[in-house]
Amino acid sequence: MNENYRQTVLNLPPNPGAEILRYGWLKEDVVSLGQGEGCDPTPDFIVNAANKAMLEGKTHYGPVLGQPFLREEISQYYKRLMNVNLPANRVFVTASGTTAMHLALTSILDKGDEVVAITPIWKNLMGAVRLAQAEATQVPLKYENHSWSLDMDKLIDSCSSKTKAILIVTPSNPTGWVMSENEMRTLLDFTRKNNIWIVSDEVYNRSCYNVSHSPSFLQYAQDDDLLLTINSFSKSWAMTGWRLGWLTGPASAEAVIRDIALYDNMCPPTFTQYGGAKALSDGEDFIKQQMAGWKSNLDIITTRFEANDKIETYRPPSTFYSFFKVQGENNSLEFAKRLIDEQSLSLAPGVAFGNNVSEWMRLCFAVSEAKLNSALDKLEAAIK
Ligand SMILES: Cc1ncc(COP(=O)(O)O)c(C=O)c1O
């Protein structure tokens, strides 16, 4: 029976993160901090803009690469935020960051190509590489002195003549590691000389605790560099269910991405783009307010984890994830199941992000303080 389906799909590796989420959904009243999203709804000013668009009949097909006004708004957003000149013809609106990643990868990868990926990494991105029939080589970040760092020589040495792209998530899900400006410059220099693409997922670039945004490759790249960046409205503007994101590339990418997007989904949804434009033009106060709430939750976790000598962790500079390991719990999948069975608590197992972090766990703290404290009570009860 199965042989009727594509071998590439049948060979996709299991996704333990999705497995644990499904396992948790089977049980009632599970406190879930396993998925990467906040519990607050999208703010009204964004919802109202999309609602108005719908009532005005903005319910038809639109341009394949997004509404011109949103492409322009994204271009202006980069100018305001980072002083980057990115013309609207280099911005492609997509139906989610995930879709942007698929479009990016399928526009550059052929069967058998190699992608070098910095890990741990959000598993779905590795799935996207496999769906594009490419092979991924993992370069693990190093954990030392309570922080994660990249060995640049190792990353560069891992590239071969078959390497088509380097895949980077910065800030990183799950570690919160952020690639520095110097690292970006070094890597751009290397990829420019070797004709290798950089695919940079910058979905969490507004989720930093000490700065307004993390460094973006767009700040240091030349216009025609082989650079694709992925972004999304999901996290920074509480719009996970909207499925709206964007991709940037060199001007030459516009026609290529348009061709794939046309066959993939014809166009991103029309009325959601009005909400997206409003999020960018009027959303800075919301971002600040959301970050203040996440920071206060991070303070709570830090205090409680530091007081617990069974927990090894660090304070991430960005994202809304706490990544940690528990003494004696070496199998994160088993531990995640036990937490659901015994404590009705769902967390993401580290093994979902790479083999080198299979004892780690990820907890999303973009939730109410009460929910966070209840989850931490459950975790502490399970490991005492
Ligand atoms: C690194 C990373 N990229 C992309 C996404 C997905 O973004 P979207 O909701 O826009 O598909 C996520 C979601 O968790 C993520 O962690």
Side-chain angles (χ1 to χ4, degrees):
M1 181 64 187
N2 265 357
E3 62 274 9
N4 294 322
Y5 295 95
R6 251 177 98 198
Q7 207 51 49
T8 307
V9 177
L10 298 177
N11 290 345
L12 284 176
N15 186 328
E19 188 189 324
I20 285 296
L21 280 176
R22 282 195 297 271
Y23 190 70
W25 290 335
L26 293 176
K27 208 174 157 186
E28 267 178 44
D29 298 328
V30 167
V31 175
S32 178
L33 273 59
Q35 197 149 27
E37 65 172 337
C39 47
D40 287 339
T42 309
D44 284 355
F45 72 95
I46 299 175
V47 173
N48 289 341
N51 192 19
K52 181 164 173 283
M54 270 200 274
L55 291 171
E56 286 173 352
K58 307 281 180 10
T59 52
H60 298 275
Y61 292 131
V64 178
L65 294 179
Q67 297 285 344
F69 70 81
L70 181 53
R71 297 178 75 185
E72 187 53 44
E73 190 68 56
I74 294 170
S75 160
Q76 284 171 24
Y77 167 75
Y78 279 109
K79 180 79 194 161
R80 264 196 319 273
L81 186 68
M82 307 176 180
N83 201 22
V84 163
N85 288 314
L86 183 75
N89 68 321
R90 293 180 51 202
V91 173
F92 322 122
V93 179
T94 59
S96 78
T98 306
T99 304
M101 181 58 78
H102 277 287
L103 292 174
L105 295 177
T106 47
S107 71
I108 58 175
L109 296 177
D110 274 316
K111 188 173 181 179
D113 280 343
E114 206 174 82
V115 173
V116 172
I118 298 176
T119 59
I121 195 170
W122 187 50
K123 191 83 179 183
N124 296 33
L125 302 182
M126 298 303 257
V129 171
R130 292 292 287 268
L131 266 184
Q133 295 186 292
E135 298 298 326
T137 301
Q138 302 193 18
V139 177
L141 295 170
K142 199 168 54 184
Y143 181 70
E144 227 173 32
N145 301 328
H146 300 284
S147 80
W148 295 87
S149 61
L150 173 70
D151 183 335
M152 183 58 78
D153 291 338
K154 204 159 143 193
L155 178 63
I156 287 176
D157 289 349
S158 301
C159 295
S160 72
S161 57
K162 283 171 74 185
T163 304
K164 199 68 180 281
I166 299 177
L167 178 55
I168 300 154
V169 181
T170 176
S172 142
N173 169 10
T175 60
W177 165 80
V178 176
M179 187 176 249
S180 70
E181 172 186 337
N182 272 347
E183 288 169 327
M184 287 186 172
R185 287 187 192 277
T186 306
L187 203 58
L188 279 165
D189 200 41
F190 169 75
T191 53
R192 211 172 276 141
K193 287 185 185 132
N194 290 280
N195 222 35
I196 293 174
W197 284 90
I198 290 177
V199 180
S200 176
D201 178 329
E202 301 180 358
V203 162
Y204 295 95
N205 77 328
R206 301 302 311 280
S207 312
C208 299
Y209 291 101
N210 298 316
V211 282
S212 78
H213 65 89
S214 59
S216 165
F217 274 98
L218 287 167
Q219 292 173 271
Y220 316 113
Q222 294 165 10
D223 289 354
D224 57 355
D225 273 338
L226 300 182
L227 169 68
L228 295 162
T229 75
I230 314 296
N231 221 308
S232 168
F233 289 89
S234 283
K235 319 284 174 175
S236 299
W237 296 276
M239 292 170 70
T240 48
W242 291 57
R243 315 312 299 131
L244 191 61
W246 72 88
L247 173 65
T248 76
S252 60
E254 189 183 30
V256 180
I257 300 293
R258 180 182 287 131
D259 282 350
I260 310 173
L262 176 68
Y263 295 136
D264 181 57
N265 199 28
M266 210 122 88
C267 64
T270 298
F271 46 86
T272 56
Q273 295 179 60
Y274 289 80
K278 197 72 179 166
L280 294 180
S281 65
D282 294 11
E284 289 301 312
D285 286 348
F286 175 75
I287 291 181
K288 284 196 191 103
Q289 179 196 318
Q290 192 170 240
M291 287 307 298
W294 294 349
K295 182 174 181 299
S296 150
N297 279 355
L298 180 55
D299 290 344
I300 293 174
I301 296 185
T302 307
T303 308
R304 288 185 67 162
F305 278 7
E306 275 177 359
N308 192 320
D309 54 15
K310 284 201 168 159
I311 296 179
E312 163 67 33
T313 191
Y314 58 95
R315 194 177 168 101
S318 62
T319 76
F320 44 53
Y321 301 116
S322 174
F323 204 47
F324 63 95
K325 49 186 176 175
V326 174
Q327 214 176 71
E329 296 293 346
N330 299 327
N331 182 329
S332 58
L333 195 59
E334 289 305 311
F335 185 41
K337 282 191 177 144
R338 180 163 81 79
L339 287 175
I340 292 172
D341 290 340
E342 294 177 9
Q343 298 290 337
S344 296
L345 172 65
S346 177
L347 302 181
V351 68
F353 304 93
N355 295 336
N356 57 320
V357 286
S358 58
E359 320 128 72
W360 292 73
M361 300 293 289
R362 192 198 71 178
L363 174 156
C364 170
F365 57 79
V367 294
S368 70
E369 197 178 311
K371 186 168 174 181
L372 177 64
N373 276 317
S374 146
L376 294 176
D377 291 345
K378 288 169 180 289
L379 177 67
E380 285 166 5
I383 64 179
K384 69 165 188 273

